[in-house]
Amino acid sequence: MTSEVPPETPTEAPAVKPSDTPAGAPATTPAGASPAPAPSPSPVPSSDAHERERRHAQRAEGWSIVWMLVALLVWGWFAFLMLADYGPEYDGRPVCRGPLVGPLSEGRRCEDAWRAWPALLGVLALATLTTVTAAATTVYARVLTRLAHRDRPSVPLSEGPGAPSRG
């Protein structure tokens, strides 16, 4: 009970229309036809695009500097609140000590809303937030700067500054 399959005869492959090709499958061309040219790579951005990218990178760099200065100011404020003595003076020195300098000053005279721990922790959180923002903005500015210089046409070594002179 064997069934024989007749041998197939070689024939020309039928032309495949682009609509017949499933998505993602390579299209075939009929014999003798030239394949369609591949799309050319995107052109180098114009000088206007380079200038716009460069300005955007400089703006981000400026904001990163601003955020760094704000972070430094908030950290300075936090350090002042933690270290500086305060309150009424007695014999030329403030009576109340800073929370990190000496023992916690008890008494009604040393009550200060900014020296209480909830306020100090709030200032610490603000300092941390501004520091993280400054770091993220700095990284973003560096990435933009590198992207702005990525497609700039390079000068061949034989023509650029520092090239060996001919002669």
Side-chain angles (χ1 to χ4, degrees):
M1 291 192 106
T2 60
S3 65
E4 281 189 41
V5 177
E8 292 186 27
T9 58
T11 60
E12 268 187 47
V16 177
K17 293 185 273 185
S19 61
D20 294 341
T21 306
T28 58
T29 57
S34 64
S40 63
S42 63
V44 176
S46 67
S47 63
D48 286 342
H50 276 298
E51 185 64 27
R52 190 171 47 249
E53 288 175 352
R54 191 182 62 74
R55 279 194 316 259
H56 191 66
Q58 285 177 338
R59 190 176 312 122
E61 180 106 11
W63 277 108
S64 71
I65 291 169
V66 168
W67 276 112
M68 279 189 230
L69 292 175
V70 169
L72 285 173
L73 285 173
V74 176
W75 278 109
W77 181 31
F78 179 71
F80 174 78
L81 290 175
M82 292 296 286
L83 299 173
D85 294 339
Y86 63 99
E89 291 187 14
Y90 178 76
D91 206 18
R93 292 191 62 223
V95 175
C96 306
R97 307 283 293 172
L100 287 182
V101 176
L104 187 60
S105 303
E106 298 291 332
R108 198 153 186 81
R109 303 186 292 183
C110 293
E111 288 181 8
D112 186 14
W114 285 108
R115 310 291 178 161
W117 282 107
L120 289 172
L121 291 176
V123 174
L124 176 64
L126 184 63
T128 304
L129 181 67
T130 56
T131 302
V132 168
T133 305
T137 309
T138 301
V139 169
Y140 179 66
R142 297 285 168 96
V143 168
L144 285 179
T145 301
R146 290 211 176 188
L147 288 175
H149 298 297
R150 73 185 182 281
D151 290 333
R152 190 166 282 175
S154 60
V155 177
L157 290 177
S158 62
E159 298 174 11
S165 61
R166 296 182 193 191

